[in-house]
């Protein structure tokens, strides 16, 4: 995934923490179109203007195997998945058929409809229940057609000049952080390029070129404003076989009557990190970007995609800041529209210098609880994660990528811990090699999906948020606070984590709970809650110290009416978390409410 950058996060106390954000290793040449080599190190066959060749397959006759299948529902139930950015062999296809959810890269793999349909058919052609759903890669935050092109070459090509009003720049005034109410096209510079390119680096970094599109310094493609309506139509209409370095667009991916008509079940949206907070990168970074103002435009792009393809699966890769209330991006996230979020490099990243990612503590103790608070909302999404068994510089210490294929045992325990760390918090995981082209079944063969463990309480507030490396937060179980209005109580609470979806239930009764009894809740009224965003949670980013502000707010709240409360009836209340398998935790945080007051016992 293209936008590889460092997260230089200046905290309120002046600390500067560097948290690397590794772009998914579409890597060597990403979707931009340079040849990526085969898994054995040889050079792949180059088919036309495409970067490599998948093994030809027999034509697939008949309709789409998933015709009439509710693919979004099927994706939501998938307990495993596979991802590959490489060309496909028949053996690869046979392995991918065994997964309920598959992600492929049609451009890098030079895939046809036949490849996609053979995967969709599953292991048993006569059993549609085993059909995988297939998602296909598309970049929406970088224009992969511009790979290695100079400014002069772009000016000479009408595809990149448009009406000449671009590149655009941040329309906000100095010091303004809000991302709401902005002109979706930004402020034009009239530099002679299409309106959807951006030139925000020149605003922030002395010496950066002005009036030309900003470039990804690692992968040499140009950043774009996804919220520009012209960009959506451009991405929709792109076709693989028309111009060099041109990947399939939305219509070619999601339909069967345009271009190659790939008929994918959904899309894997990449390069969303173009809209990352400006503070995440410094001007000295090779790949810096300063276009946070485009964040709402990315969500608008996704919402338009949902409107155009209501039955297709939408996966958002990274863009994790959209789910963090410490950032203004939280107010413009695409939650409620996307089906799947994707956390790359959660435990094992593609750094060959270390086995476990040096950023794992921050991922686990700061980012993950906030993400899962969003994922498990009523309008939330499924979370996938990805780990790497090696790095771009070679083998990781104490690991061998061949362990994924059963040809070695080196690093087996680390790989198993990678699975455990991901699954224990609700992610569905896959492990690959740095170029993301090693099709394997390691996770699926070694995972334990038997969930007999109740959810464990965590917290979106971490008192150690200024420390690096971060340590675990103090958990906040059960009810965190109660606001009272007449006979209605509004409960606020924190997040609990589990390998399966977490829900919350309120138990209340008019006599104290007796936890010495075998069934202390037997006579209580149980109300399964439908939580909304906690009061003030979406405004944390506006405070002088957002990390500290989370101490006094909660991600969830819900209101319940307690009959007779104002008439003098006293109630005892207890909130517990339970997972979709029926496992319920047993905290004993009890509150009592009477007349006009509520307090924790």
């Amino acid at each position: 995934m293209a936008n590889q950058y460092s997260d230089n996060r200046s905290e309120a106390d002046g600390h500067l923490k560097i948290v690397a954000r590794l772009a998914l290793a579409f890597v060597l040449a990403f979707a931009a179109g340079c040849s990526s080599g085969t898994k054995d190190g040889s050079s792949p066959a180059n088919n036309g203007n495409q970067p490599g060749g998948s093994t030809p397959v027999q034509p697939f006759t008949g309709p789409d195997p998933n015709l009439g299948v509710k693919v979004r529902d099927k994706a939501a139930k998938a307990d495993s998945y596979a991802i590959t950015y490489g060309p496909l062999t028949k053996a690869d296809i046979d392995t991918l058929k065994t997964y309920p959810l598959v992600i492929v890269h049609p451009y890098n793999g030079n895939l046809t409809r036949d490849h996609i349909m053979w995967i969709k058919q599953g292991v048993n052609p006569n059993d549609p229940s085993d059909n995988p759903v297939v998602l296909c890669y598309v970049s929406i935050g970088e224009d992969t057609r511009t790979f290695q092109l100079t400014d002069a070459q772009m000016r000479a090509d009408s595809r990149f000049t448009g009406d000449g009003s671009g590149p655009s720049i941040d329309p906000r005034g100095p010091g303004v952080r809000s991302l709401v109410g902005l002109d979706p096209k930004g402020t034009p510079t009239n530099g002679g390029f299409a309106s959807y390119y951006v030139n925000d680096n020149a605003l922030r970094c002395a010496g950066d070129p002005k009036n030309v599109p900003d470039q990804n310094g690692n992968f040499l493609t140009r950043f774009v404003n996804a919220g520009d309506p012209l960009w959506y139509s451009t991405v929709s209409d792109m076709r693989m076989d028309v111009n060099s370095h041109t990947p399939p667009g939305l219509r070619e991916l999601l339909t069967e009557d345009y271009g190659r008509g790939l008929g994918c079940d959904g899309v894997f949206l990449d390069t969303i990190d173009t809209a990352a907070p400006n503070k995440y990168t410094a001007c000295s970074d090779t790949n810096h970007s300063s276009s946070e103002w485009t964040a709402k435009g990315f969500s608008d792009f996704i919402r338009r995609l949902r409107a155009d393809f209501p039955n297709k699966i939408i996966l958002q890769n990274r863009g994790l800041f959209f789910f963090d209330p410490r950032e203004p991006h939280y107010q413009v996230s695409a939650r409620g529209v996307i089906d799947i979020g994707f956390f790359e490099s959660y435990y094992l990243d593609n750094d060959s210098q270390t086995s476990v990612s040096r950023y794992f503590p921050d991922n686990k103790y700061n980012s993950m609880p906030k993400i899962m608070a969003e994922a498990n909302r009523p309008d939330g999404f499924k979370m996938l994660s990805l780990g790497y068994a090696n790095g771009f510089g070679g083998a990781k210490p104490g690991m061998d990528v061949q362990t994924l294929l059963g040809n070695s045992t080196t690093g087996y325990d680390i790989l198993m811990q990678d699975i455990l760390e991901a699954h224990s918090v609700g992610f569905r995981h896959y492990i690959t090699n740095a170029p993301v082209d090693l099709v394997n079944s390691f996770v699926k063969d070694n995972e334990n999906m038997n969930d007999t463990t109740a959810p464990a309480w965590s917290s979106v507030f971490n008192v150690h948020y200024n420390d690096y490396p971060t340590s675990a937060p103090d958990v906040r179980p059960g009810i965190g606070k109660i606001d009272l209005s007449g006979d209605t109580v509004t409960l606020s609470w924190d997040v609990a984590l589990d390998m399966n979806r977490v829900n919350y239930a309120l138990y209340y009764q008019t006599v104290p709970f007796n936890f010495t009894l075998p069934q202390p809740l037997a006579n209580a009224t149980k109300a399964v809650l439908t939580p909304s965003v906690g009061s003030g949670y979406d405004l944390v980013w506006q405070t002088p110290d957002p990390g500290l502000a989370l101490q006094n707010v909660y991600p969830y709240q819900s209101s319940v009416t307690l009959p007779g409360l104002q008439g003098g009836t006293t109630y005892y209340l207890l909130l517990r978390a339970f997972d979709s398998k029926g496992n319920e935790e047993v905290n004993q945080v009890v509150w009592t409410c009477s007349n006009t007051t509520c307090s924790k016992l």
Side-chain angles (χ1 to χ4, degrees):
M1 290 137 200
N3 197 2
Q4 184 172 357
Y5 59 89
S6 297
D7 171 359
N8 296 318
R9 298 191 293 176
S10 179
E11 302 295 343
D13 64 357
H15 290 293
L16 186 66
K17 298 198 296 184
I18 301 176
V19 182
R21 302 303 186 196
L22 301 173
L24 175 63
F26 67 151
V27 183
L28 298 177
F30 137 82
C34 45
S35 297
S36 60
T38 59
K39 284 173 270 190
D40 63 3
S42 62
S43 298
N46 197 329
N47 187 339
N49 60 18
Q50 303 309 327
S54 293
T55 302
V57 294
Q58 293 295 321
F60 186 91
T61 59
D64 181 341
N66 286 339
L67 185 66
V69 173
K70 294 181 178 180
V71 295
R72 296 179 65 188
D73 291 344
K74 196 160 190 175
K77 297 174 182 176
D79 275 339
S80 61
Y81 84 100
I83 181 170
T84 177
Y85 276 14
L88 300 179
T89 65
K90 183 180 184 303
D92 291 334
I93 291 175
D94 287 343
T95 299
L96 296 176
K97 285 181 177 183
T98 67
Y99 283 91
L101 174 62
V102 174
I103 300 165
V104 295
H105 199 313
Y107 181 75
N108 275 7
N110 191 23
L111 305 184
T112 65
R113 177 185 182 274
D114 296 324
H115 292 101
I116 303 296
M117 297 302 152
W118 282 118
I119 296 172
K120 285 191 187 188
Q121 189 180 61
V123 176
N124 184 349
N126 299 315
D127 181 6
S129 68
D130 85 339
N131 290 2
V133 293
V134 179
L135 310 187
C136 295
Y137 177 100
V138 61
S139 169
I140 66 171
E142 297 179 26
D143 186 351
T144 64
R145 302 171 303 166
T146 64
F147 176 68
Q148 291 188 331
L149 294 183
T150 66
D151 297 335
Q153 288 172 318
M154 290 181 63
R155 291 185 192 277
D157 191 325
S158 61
R159 292 180 298 159
F160 309 126
T161 55
D163 63 3
S165 65
S168 58
I169 58 176
D170 192 338
R172 301 174 299 176
V176 178
R177 293 205 69 204
S178 176
L179 301 172
V180 178
L182 307 181
D183 185 332
K185 296 181 68 173
T187 299
T189 65
N190 298 308
F193 294 93
S195 58
Y196 46 73
Y197 295 114
V198 294
N199 188 219
D200 295 301
N201 287 345
L203 295 181
R204 185 166 68 119
C205 303
D208 266 43
K210 296 182 178 179
N211 299 333
V212 296
D214 290 338
Q215 186 178 53
N216 181 322
N218 291 325
F219 300 112
L220 305 181
T221 53
R222 306 301 178 116
F223 295 125
V224 298
N225 165 24
D228 188 320
L230 179 60
W231 178 242
Y232 184 89
S233 60
T234 299
V235 176
S236 292
D237 295 343
M238 288 192 301
R239 291 176 56 183
M240 286 178 72
D241 300 318
V242 177
N243 298 102
S244 62
H245 298 303
T246 301
L250 299 174
R251 292 171 61 193
E252 188 165 25
L253 292 173
L254 297 175
T255 71
E256 295 190 45
D257 58 3
Y258 184 82
R260 293 191 177 192
L262 294 167
C264 307
D265 294 312
V267 286
F268 179 103
L269 301 180
D270 197 20
T271 60
I272 289 171
D273 284 344
T274 294
N278 293 348
K279 64 184 178 181
Y280 274 22
T281 56
C283 295
S284 58
D285 294 339
T286 301
N287 183 32
H288 61 278
S289 61
S290 310
S291 298
E292 68 179 19
W293 70 272
T294 64
K296 185 176 184 298
F298 277 79
S299 293
D300 289 344
F301 183 107
I302 296 171
R303 293 180 190 282
R304 184 172 175 184
L305 173 62
R306 169 58 67 221
D308 288 349
F309 298 96
N311 299 317
K312 296 290 187 177
I313 303 160
I314 299 177
L315 180 152
Q316 173 183 315
N317 176 43
R318 296 198 64 88
L320 305 179
F321 41 81
F322 278 109
F323 311 127
D324 189 335
R326 296 174 297 178
E327 302 298 339
H329 300 65
Y330 184 84
Q331 290 191 313
V332 295
S333 82
R335 191 188 72 232
V337 180
I338 63 171
D339 299 287
I340 303 173
F342 197 91
F343 199 142
E344 175 203 359
S345 300
Y346 177 66
Y347 181 74
L348 296 177
D349 60 27
N350 52 26
D351 179 1
S352 60
Q353 303 304 307
T354 61
S355 53
V356 177
S357 171
R358 68 193 72 182
Y359 309 109
F360 173 62
D362 186 69
N363 291 341
K364 180 174 182 176
Y365 299 132
N366 275 331
S367 297
M368 179 272 296
K370 299 175 183 64
I371 292 168
M372 292 313 296
E374 303 308 305
N376 283 335
R377 293 190 186 279
D379 62 350
F381 44 86
K382 188 181 193 71
M383 276 299 300
L384 307 182
S385 56
L386 182 68
Y388 294 97
N390 66 356
F392 287 117
K396 283 178 166 288
M399 298 184 67
D400 185 349
V401 72
Q402 288 297 314
T403 301
L404 293 178
L405 300 176
N407 300 324
S408 172
T409 59
T410 302
Y412 176 84
D413 290 343
I414 300 175
L415 295 175
M416 291 300 295
Q417 187 65 27
D418 189 26
I419 299 173
L420 175 63
E421 292 289 354
H423 282 190
S424 65
V425 300
F427 300 162
R428 294 297 178 259
H429 199 56
Y430 188 76
I431 308 175
T432 186
N433 59 346
V436 194
D437 63 1
L438 185 64
V439 176
N440 68 90
S441 58
F442 182 86
V443 174
K444 185 159 60 70
D445 292 343
N446 288 279
E447 66 186 359
N448 180 0
M449 301 308 297
N450 183 26
D451 184 5
T452 60
T453 303
W457 286 96
S458 182
S459 181
V460 297
F461 170 66
N462 191 338
V463 70
H464 311 289
Y465 69 99
N466 263 337
D467 302 334
Y468 196 75
T470 307
S471 51
D474 298 326
V475 301
R476 300 194 291 188
I479 299 171
K481 68 174 183 177
I482 298 179
D483 294 310
L484 184 60
S485 176
D487 284 350
T488 298
V489 294
T490 299
L491 316 168
S492 298
W493 68 96
D494 216 320
V495 63
L497 304 170
D498 189 81
M499 71 180 296
N500 285 297
R501 184 175 181 83
V502 178
N503 294 286
Y504 303 89
L506 174 68
Y507 294 90
Y508 60 92
Q509 58 189 35
T510 57
V511 296
F513 293 103
N514 184 350
F515 294 108
T516 66
L517 297 176
Q519 294 180 304
L521 308 182
N523 296 316
T525 298
K526 179 180 179 180
V528 176
L529 304 178
T530 303
S532 57
V533 176
S535 178
Y537 191 70
D538 60 338
L539 303 177
V540 161
W541 65 273
Q542 295 181 347
T543 63
D545 189 339
L548 182 61
L550 285 169
Q551 182 176 17
N552 300 311
V553 298
Y554 294 84
Y556 297 126
Q557 71 176 36
S558 186
S559 296
V560 176
T561 298
L562 303 177
L565 182 62
Q566 291 300 298
T569 303
T570 297
Y571 282 89
Y572 296 84
L573 300 92
L574 172 72
L575 183 144
R576 286 184 171 175
F578 65 97
D579 64 27
S580 59
K581 301 299 182 180
N583 303 302
E584 185 168 287
E585 52 85 25
V586 291
N587 85 80
Q588 297 181 14
V589 178
V590 176
W591 284 63
T592 181
C593 290
S594 179
N595 293 324
T596 61
T597 60
C598 293
S599 60
K600 184 190 295 187
L601 292 180

